[in-house]
Amino acid sequence: MKPMKLLTRMARSFVAGYNVEDALKQVQKLKDKGIMVTMDILGEAVEDKPMCDKAVQDYLDLLMKLAKVKSKAHISLKLTQMGLAIDDEYCTQNMVKIIGLAKKNDRFVRIDMEGSAVTERTLKIFYRLRKQFDNVGIVVQAYLHRTEQDVREINKVKGKVRLCKGAYKEPKEVALKKMKDIRANFIKLSQLLFKEGVYSAIATHDTKLIKWTKAYVAENKIANKDFEFQFLYGIRNKTQRELAKGGYRVRTYVPFGTHWIPYFYRRLRERKENVFFLAKNLFKK
Ligand SMILES: Cc1cc2nc3c(=O)[nH]c(=O)nc-3n(C[C@H](O)[C@H](O)[C@H](O)COP(=O)(O)OP(=O)(O)OC[C@H]3O[C@@H](n4cnc5c(N)ncnc54)[C@H](O)[C@@H]3O)c2cc1C
């Protein structure tokens, strides 16, 4: 198979389609299985203003489309897609437009967390938006040394948090490197969120962490309606279905669009089997 064709085919297992119509078909399939969604229009590190304006318009169009088809989907986005590389104020005002429209439709907007170079500015904009809106949430990464302090601050403003391990390549000065340590911090942060936070999202495919969460909520009598598990589209589909069947709230992150390469690259890096599969097939005669 030609390299580009193989890449595209592999990417399709992580990306729900190139346009909103394709993605909505996958959203419906997940809904039929009792799984909720958050939709992401792929894009990041945008330095060009007309491209940012287009990304904002694409999200506004998506929100109108979701209202039209009466979908309860949440949306997720990245601030570097919304103009963070251009200017903080411009980025904030773009977010106000999106979150404002989402609010009218009773819809939730999650700000994804990107590399550590933009963590501080992402959080600053989140705090600003949180003062104005209750339908905006943030992501924190268990591998960052700073995250425990951030979670304490976010809890103070009753911010809704998605907890994940973290997907970017970071130096040891800012991030934990060993999986054992990242897992231990994930557990510590989960406890902090369950005790002091509001409606947390536990975003991991890690069997040990999912098992730990199930045991913790049972032991501490935390109701299923008070948190959710989150997964990425195309990963551990059976576990997603089983959790949903078991009465847990499950939400899948559904990315779509044409700018899939950085997202796909992060998914490859996370699992060496994916890289082996790709390499084996690229060099196959
Ligand atoms: C809903 C959601 C939103 C996220 N948002 C962000 C964000 O905003 N910022 C950020 O930095 N990170 C984000 N992430 C990514 C996250 O930080 C991790 O990089 C990613 O989830 C892998 O870590 P893990 O906890 O699943 O554990 P891992 O130990 O990486 O994976 C556990 C198991 O899951 C399966 N698995 C995991 N990844 C793959 C894969 N790529 N392909 C096939 N199987 C796989 C494998 O069976 C693996 O053994 C998000 C993750 C989720 C689920």
Side-chain angles (χ1 to χ4, degrees):
M1 194 185 293
K2 293 232 171 73
M4 201 52 206
K5 210 168 174 192
L6 176 65
L7 274 178
T8 313
R9 186 180 285 183
M10 244 190 118
R12 278 306 295 261
S13 57
F14 297 115
V15 173
Y18 296 132
N19 56 49
V20 68
E21 282 72 28
D22 289 347
L24 284 174
K25 281 184 201 145
Q26 302 308 318
V27 165
Q28 185 57 44
K29 284 187 192 163
L30 289 161
K31 191 177 169 207
D32 294 343
K33 292 171 188 139
I35 296 171
M36 306 176 290
V37 298
T38 182
M39 295 182 77
D40 170 71
I41 307 177
L42 289 162
E44 55 197 270
V46 183
E47 291 177 3
D48 174 81
K49 215 167 176 190
M51 273 176 77
C52 280
D53 291 342
K54 162 119 183 26
V56 174
Q57 192 54 50
D58 287 347
Y59 267 102
L60 296 174
D61 291 346
L62 173 63
L63 286 167
M64 286 188 290
K65 180 103 193 181
L66 290 173
K68 210 165 153 192
V69 299
K70 296 192 169 52
S71 165
K72 288 189 175 153
H74 290 181
I75 59 168
S76 287
L77 46 71
K78 292 181 174 49
L79 291 192
T80 66
Q81 185 183 17
M82 296 295 132
L84 194 66
I86 296 166
D87 172 57
D88 287 18
E89 187 57 34
Y90 166 68
C91 178
T92 308
Q93 293 315 319
N94 284 338
M95 289 299 291
V96 167
K97 284 185 204 158
I98 293 172
I99 304 169
L101 181 58
K103 176 78 187 162
K104 280 192 193 143
N105 298 322
D106 197 20
R107 200 177 301 281
F108 187 74
V109 179
R110 177 85 60 183
I111 301 173
D112 288 343
M113 189 55 82
E114 304 178 68
S116 62
V118 294
T119 309
E120 186 64 28
R121 286 167 62 216
T122 302
L123 283 167
K124 270 202 180 132
I125 291 180
F126 164 70
Y127 289 127
R128 237 182 111 183
L129 295 166
R130 178 69 189 93
K131 277 192 191 149
Q132 197 178 340
F133 298 105
D134 60 4
N135 62 323
V136 61
I138 188 74
V139 179
V140 297
Q141 299 153 323
Y143 65 7
L144 291 189
H145 300 311
R146 59 174 288 159
T147 299
E148 180 178 345
Q149 192 51 39
D150 287 335
V151 166
R152 290 186 192 281
E153 295 301 319
I154 297 166
N155 284 346
K156 281 186 201 159
V157 300
K158 297 197 186 317
K160 288 186 180 157
V161 169
R162 172 199 296 152
L163 173 64
C164 66
K165 283 183 185 165
Y168 296 79
K169 206 166 167 31
E170 300 288 0
K172 68 175 186 326
E173 290 71 28
V174 293
L176 299 163
K177 287 284 162 192
K178 291 188 184 143
M179 188 52 84
K180 169 171 104 10
D181 297 337
I182 299 171
R183 259 198 203 114
N185 204 34
F186 195 106
I187 288 175
K188 191 176 180 188
L189 297 168
S190 300
Q191 286 172 322
L192 204 52
L193 287 167
F194 279 127
K195 281 184 189 144
E196 297 169 10
V198 267
Y199 193 77
S200 305
I202 304 299
T204 181
H205 314 102
D206 187 327
T207 310
K208 285 188 183 155
L209 292 175
I210 294 170
K211 213 171 147 198
W212 177 86
T213 305
K214 287 165 80 176
Y216 184 85
V217 295
E219 210 172 290
N220 291 279
K221 301 194 171 32
I222 295 162
N224 288 351
K225 69 170 179 41
D226 292 333
F227 75 103
E228 64 188 43
F229 284 109
Q230 290 193 354
F231 290 81
L232 296 178
Y233 176 82
I235 301 181
R236 307 213 54 188
N237 297 335
K238 189 162 166 258
T239 310
Q240 299 188 27
R241 287 197 302 273
E242 282 170 1
L243 285 169
K245 260 194 179 163
Y248 295 100
R249 293 170 69 104
V250 178
R251 187 177 306 276
T252 299
Y253 183 103
V254 177
F256 69 96
T258 49
H259 298 280
W260 49 266
I261 290 176
Y263 178 86
F264 176 54
Y265 173 69
R266 287 194 289 279
R267 302 294 77 81
L268 282 186
R269 271 194 42 209
E270 269 156 16
R271 199 165 179 246
K272 60 180 182 308
E273 286 89 334
N274 291 341
V275 182
F276 290 154
F277 176 83
L278 186 65
K280 201 173 86 190
N281 286 282
L282 276 179
F283 296 113
K284 224 182 211 171
K285 291 234 168 99

